[in-house]
Amino acid sequence: MKLKLAGITALATTLLLSSFLHAAPVVFTQLPGLAGGSPAETGVYRADLSSVGIGTILSITIADSNSGVGGAGGQFSGFDLDAIKLSTTNCATAACAAALPGLGVFNFSGSGLVFSPGTQRPAADPFLYGTGPGGVDNLLATLGSFDADSSTVFPFGFLSMGDGGTISFNLTSAVETAGLYLYIGEVGDNGEVAAGNITVADTAVPEPSTYALLGSGLIGMVYLKRRFRS
Ligand SMILES: [Ca+2]
Ligand SMILES: [Ca+2]
Ligand SMILES: [Ca+2]
């Protein structure tokens, strides 16, 4: 019995870990010019996904660099994501990326988004900009379009991730990476940095509650194992 339980624990751990294996980092290059609303101050970054070594992708994860520098504090802490797009068009300018229709594979609500807010620098607000009690509010964030107003008086159209925050986008269908480009925009173009990470070809990113369940399941098995030992 002891061996069997140990085997199950090992199997569960392997399954948990294997869900992270099909991940690859992406390299972003800033495009010349700026996009956004008024004032237009969104720096646009492009990543060529042809070279990531994963045939198809089903999710995209972006993390703030957690450097704690650049931009404003409080509810505007961290990387300010104006928009995210996937396209087979290779744009050379920010204006080109802003005008792209982009592939219709994003769902900016529900299970389409998994957001882990980062920390806020003083003075902290109850919510990071573009979020509310239900998480990301896409009426505020408008993550499908490069339309942000970076003014702190009348801000509009972006998501502030907080220092060390991460956001995953679960695509509505798998997309081939050959000839595919990823575009993201940083509001204010003021030195805040996204560390990119393309994750998991064949499964979506689970919501945090799923991790908690998996974790408690593992702890439960360890507990059982101990009981059977004693
Ligand atoms: Ca910011
Ligand atoms: Ca936007
Ligand atoms: Ca910024």
Side-chain angles (χ1 to χ4, degrees), residues 9-110:
T9 308
L11 178 65
T13 308
T14 306
L15 285 174
L16 188 65
L17 290 178
S18 67
S19 65
F20 295 103
L21 289 182
H22 299 285
V26 297
V27 179
F28 286 112
T29 305
Q30 186 167 10
L31 300 179
L34 295 168
S38 178
E41 294 178 340
T42 296
V44 179
Y45 295 79
R46 180 194 63 206
D48 180 355
L49 301 190
S50 300
S51 55
V52 295
I54 296 175
T56 60
I57 55 168
L58 198 50
S59 67
I60 297 169
T61 296
I62 296 179
D64 174 74
S65 68
N66 203 20
S67 60
V69 297
Q75 65 175 328
F76 304 110
S77 297
F79 191 85
D80 310 298
L81 181 66
D82 184 343
I84 179 167
K85 288 183 183 180
L86 284 167
S87 174
T88 53
T89 301
N90 183 3
C91 278
T93 64
C96 167
L100 285 175
L103 301 179
V105 291
F106 289 95
N107 169 19
F108 296 120
S109 64

Side-chain angles (χ1 to χ4, degrees), residues 5-219:
L5 280 168
I8 291 169
T9 308
L11 178 65
T13 308
T14 306
L15 285 174
L16 188 65
L17 290 178
S18 67
S19 65
F20 295 103
L21 289 182
H22 299 285
V26 297
V27 179
F28 286 112
T29 305
Q30 186 167 10
L31 300 179
L34 295 168
S38 178
E41 294 178 340
T42 296
V44 179
Y45 295 79
R46 180 194 63 206
D48 180 355
L49 301 190
S50 300
S51 55
V52 295
I54 296 175
T56 60
I57 55 168
L58 198 50
S59 67
I60 297 169
T61 296
I62 296 179
D64 174 74
S65 68
N66 203 20
S67 60
V69 297
Q75 65 175 328
F76 304 110
S77 297
F79 191 85
D80 310 298
L81 181 66
D82 184 343
I84 179 167
K85 288 183 183 180
L86 284 167
S87 174
T88 53
T89 301
N90 183 3
C91 278
T93 64
C96 167
L100 285 175
L103 301 179
V105 291
F106 289 95
N107 169 19
F108 296 120
S109 64
S111 59
L113 292 176
V114 181
F115 179 51
S116 298
T119 55
Q120 293 187 37
R121 296 164 232 163
D125 191 272
F127 298 106
L128 285 160
Y129 187 79
T131 74
V136 175
D137 179 352
N138 201 47
L139 290 176
L140 288 172
T142 62
L143 294 176
S145 85
F146 290 93
D147 59 354
D149 176 350
S150 67
S151 146
T152 53
V153 183
F154 301 109
F156 179 75
F158 60 94
L159 166 71
S160 291
M161 294 176 55
D163 291 329
T166 64
I167 188 165
S168 296
F169 299 90
N170 288 317
L171 307 181
T172 55
S173 60
V175 184
E176 289 191 18
T177 54
L180 187 66
Y181 297 89
L182 171 65
Y183 298 91
I184 63 172
E186 205 289 308
V187 182
D189 191 32
N190 47 12
E192 293 171 309
V193 179
N197 197 8
I198 300 290
T199 55
V200 185
D202 47 1
T203 55
V205 175
E207 302 201 36
S209 56
T210 315
Y211 285 120
L213 276 175
L214 279 170
S216 63
L218 287 177
I219 291 164

